[in-house]
Amino acid sequence: MISTPDLSHLRTADYDQVYEPAEDTFILLDALEEDAEGLKAIKPSVCLEIGSGSGCVTSFIGNILGPSVLYLCTDINPYACKCTRWTGIQNKVDINVVNGSLATPFGFRLVRQIDIIVFNPPYVPTSEEEAFGAQISRDIGGAWAGGSDGMQVTNILLNQIEALLSPSGRFYLVALKQNNVPNIIQTMQEAYRLKGEVVLQRRAGREHLFIIRFVRNLS
Amino acid sequence: MVRLITHNLLACHAKDCNTNNFPLAFKDAQLEIREAEFNPEFLKGFLPKIEWTALVDTARQLGDTSLPLEQPEMLDDEFLKNLHHVLLEIHVEEGSMTCPNCGHVYPISNGIPNMLLAEHEIG
C-alpha cells in the first residue's frame, strides 16, 4: 500500500488557484499503484507529468519508484507550478517543475526518451471558447475546460506522444466517457501504432472515469 | 529550481525556431547551492541522455570548472561526485535563459522557468 501524498501544506485558498485532487486524481493514483511492479520493471529514468497541478500524482509516483528517476512536471498555471514544487518538498520527492505547455519545453531533447508520461487533462466538455480562454488565461479553469468533446487539449498531446515515449515507455491518460474512449484508442493505434488499454474505470458521481494506458505496439 | 539537469533538457520551441535552439544561455543567474543525496546509480543511468558539451559549457559559465571537456570513459567516484554537484546541486533561482538562435528570452522566477509562449509565438 503506497500512501497518498501529504498535501497538508496546501490550504483552501490555494485551491482557489490550483485544482484540488478529486476522484479523477485518485483513480489515476490507484491505476499507477496497481501498475507499480510493471513500472519498476521498465527501469525508468525519466518521468513527465503534464498539468501537474497540486503535484500529488508525481509525488505518488516518486513514492513508488524512488530517487533513481528524474521527475519532470509542466503546468501552464504558474501557481500550480509553485504547488507542485511545495508538494514535492513536503513528500521528499525531487521534482523539477517547468511553467510550460504540454511537453513542448522538452520536445527537442527528449525524443523517444521519456519512460513514463502521465496526463490528467482538462477533459470536461465545455464550449470551445471557454476551453480556449482557460488555456490563455492560465488559471484554474484550464484544469477542466476541454472544449466540445472535452478533447481540445488532449488531442494536441496525443499527436506528440509517439515522439516522446521511450521504447518501453508507458503513457497514462485520464478520460471521461464523453471523450469517446474507444475512438481515442483506435486513433492512437491507427495513427501511431500505440496500443491503448483501459486499465481502470470507475463511476464517480456524474463522471464515468477511465484510465487508459498506452505502450508501443511491438508486434 | 532550474538545475543544470533540467536546463540540459530545455530547448527553445518558438515558432520556426528549429536549429541551434539549444542550449539556452543563462543571463543574470542568481545561484543557490543546495545539497542533494548522492546517487551514483541515477547518474550513470542518466549520463547517456546528457548533451555533454552543453553541460560543461554552461557549468563553466556559472563558474564551475570541475567537469572535463570530454566525457571520461572511466566513471570514478571523483568524477561522479563532480557531476552530481553540477547536475543536481547548483540551482538557478532568478535570471533568464536566452535562445542562441532566435533570441527569445525565457525568464526564471523563484526557481521556476517560464517556458510559455504567447499565442503568436507558438509553432
Side-chain angles (χ1 to χ4, degrees):
Chain A
M1 181 80 186
I2 294 144
S3 57
T4 305
D6 178 6
L7 298 177
S8 60
H9 55 290
L10 297 178
R11 307 280 175 217
T12 311
D14 293 317
Y15 295 126
D16 292 338
Q17 296 186 67
V18 68
Y19 186 75
E20 181 171 5
E23 285 305 326
D24 52 324
T25 318
F26 301 133
I27 185 180
L28 177 56
L29 298 188
D30 290 345
L32 291 164
E33 183 168 7
E34 282 184 14
D35 261 7
E37 292 312 311
L39 288 171
K40 287 177 198 164
I42 62 169
K43 295 196 180 356
S45 69
V46 181
C47 173
L48 170 66
E49 185 188 1
I50 292 158
S52 56
S54 66
C56 178
V57 175
T58 291
S59 297
F60 188 79
I61 299 172
N63 286 340
I64 297 176
L65 297 175
S68 293
V69 178
L70 179 69
Y71 297 100
L72 302 171
C73 285
T74 64
D75 204 298
I76 57 167
N77 174 350
Y79 199 82
C81 294
K82 287 184 195 173
C83 292
T84 293
R85 190 180 177 185
W86 293 332
T87 300
I89 293 167
Q90 182 84 358
N91 292 279
K92 300 187 174 58
V93 176
D94 207 342
I95 304 180
N96 300 278
V97 192
V98 172
N99 187 199
S101 175
L102 303 174
T104 50
F106 303 112
F108 281 88
R109 280 284 288 117
L110 290 177
V111 175
R112 295 190 173 177
Q113 294 204 63
I114 309 181
D115 303 297
I116 302 167
I117 304 174
V118 179
F119 190 29
N120 182 358
Y123 55 65
V124 179
T126 61
S127 72
E128 286 185 15
E129 291 74 23
E130 184 179 346
F132 188 71
Q135 292 298 309
I136 294 296
S137 63
R138 292 161 186 164
D139 60 14
I140 190 167
W144 64 76
S148 62
D149 54 359
M151 290 292 289
Q152 200 160 303
V153 178
T154 307
N155 279 335
I156 301 170
L157 183 72
L158 290 181
N159 288 321
Q160 301 166 0
I161 289 296
E162 198 277 331
L164 296 166
L165 213 55
S166 71
S168 59
R170 295 174 171 211
F171 166 50
Y172 292 86
L173 177 71
V174 181
L176 201 60
K177 193 177 174 88
Q178 293 94 311
N179 300 150
N180 194 348
V181 172
N183 186 50
I184 297 172
I185 291 174
Q186 191 188 344
T187 307
M188 292 299 275
Q189 175 65 47
E190 287 171 2
Y192 299 108
R193 292 175 52 79
L194 292 175
K195 184 166 156 274
E197 186 186 347
V198 173
V199 291
L200 204 56
Q201 56 174 305
R202 183 179 295 165
R203 283 174 206 279
R206 287 182 307 167
E207 292 190 334
H208 189 169
L209 294 159
F210 293 78
I211 305 298
I212 316 172
R213 181 186 62 207
F214 292 92
V215 297
R216 286 190 185 277
N217 202 341
L218 298 172
S219 61
Chain B
M1 44 182 195
V2 186
R3 300 186 296 183
L4 296 198
I5 193 167
T6 311
H7 171 267
N8 200 260
L9 302 176
L10 294 172
C12 183
H13 50 283
K15 193 176 183 177
D16 301 327
C17 188
N18 306 308
T19 53
N20 188 32
N21 55 350
F22 171 87
L24 304 174
F26 281 117
K27 196 170 168 245
D28 303 325
Q30 291 179 31
L31 306 184
E32 259 182 46
I33 306 297
R34 279 189 231 130
E35 242 177 78
E37 205 164 316
F38 182 55
N39 183 345
E41 203 161 310
F42 169 72
L43 294 169
K44 285 178 196 164
F46 201 78
L47 207 47
K49 297 196 197 302
I50 293 171
E51 284 280 350
W52 189 255
T53 306
L55 180 68
V56 174
D57 288 351
T58 305
R60 289 181 181 211
Q61 281 159 24
L62 298 179
D64 189 300
T65 55
S66 65
L67 295 179
L69 287 173
E70 297 277 330
Q71 195 175 312
E73 282 174 28
M74 275 287 290
L75 306 178
D76 61 25
D77 228 35
E78 190 195 344
F79 166 74
L80 287 172
K81 285 201 164 137
N82 289 336
L83 179 63
H84 167 75
H85 178 71
V86 168
L87 280 180
L88 300 168
E89 295 189 323
I90 301 175
H91 295 244
V92 178
E93 288 296 317
E94 302 289 331
S96 65
M97 299 178 290
T98 307
C99 172
N101 181 42
C102 74
H104 190 94
V105 176
Y106 297 95
I108 300 165
S109 167
N110 294 310
I112 295 172
N114 179 347
M115 299 297 291
L116 290 165
L117 297 168
E119 195 60 25
H120 67 276
E121 296 164 334
I122 296 170

